[in-house]
Each structure stands twice: as C-alpha cells, then as structure tokens.
Amino acid sequence: MKIAFDVHGVIDAYPEIIYPMIKLLQKMGNEICIVSGPSKLLLFKELEKIKFYDIIKNHEVEIYSVVDFLIDSGVKMWKDDKGNPWANEEDWWDSKAKICQKHEIDFIIDDSEKYRSAFDLIDCTFIHIDELI
Ligand SMILES: [Mg+2]
C-alpha cells in the first residue's frame, strides 16, 4: 500500500504518534509519502524541525507539494503580503486528489475536510486525522 500523510494538522500536530506509525507501516511493507501544501523546500525545513530528519534525509519518504504541483501544472498563482503562494479555491482543493492519483497513492491522512470531495472521483481513500487518532 502507498500511504500519504499531510504535515500541518497531522504530522506537526501529532509527531510523537505519527513517527512510530510511519516506521511501523514501513516495516509492514507499505510505502509512505507526504502530500502537503507548502513547497518541497519549506516542507523539508519544517520536517527537520520536528525531528523527521532521518526519514526525509534517507529518502525513505517521498514528498509531494501542492504548491510545486500547481506551479508545474501551469495554474495561475500569486503571493500574499507575507509571500505565501495562493491559487484559486477549485485548483487548490482538487490538487491533493490529483497528486494522489498521479502517484497511485491508496490512502491519505489529512486534517482538512475541504480536500475530501475530490477523492470521491479517484481510487484513493481520504481519512480524516480525527478518524485515526
Ligand atoms: Mg493540513
């Protein structure tokens, strides 16, 4: 199985639970990846801060970024006053389902219900973090 985790509200909210969970799932033969909003570069930095350093450093876990995906897709994007990138709502909320479809991910664990409806159309199960923890 290929299983994706979100960072904000999932990994960064419950690092002490998610870390061993990822290790266990890997030991059971599953492939783990991260699907999250910020650029891959930013995600790398954030994961280092919460001691997910070894997992990402050894490339045991692939990281897929919504922002990078939208830029690569040629979607119109802009930055707010703080320099955070934005896209229109429809493109943004469909993006995680598109990423999961592209990379044949079976499950995604996320904290934002707004991503869920796009998963009705593809062969990937959306699990809200509250259903898990
Ligand atoms: Mg989140």
Side-chain angles (χ1 to χ4, degrees), residues 6-10 96 110-112 115:
D6 174 37
V7 173
H8 299 145
V10 178
K96 286 195 181 181
D110 206 285
D111 69 312
S112 181
Y115 291 109

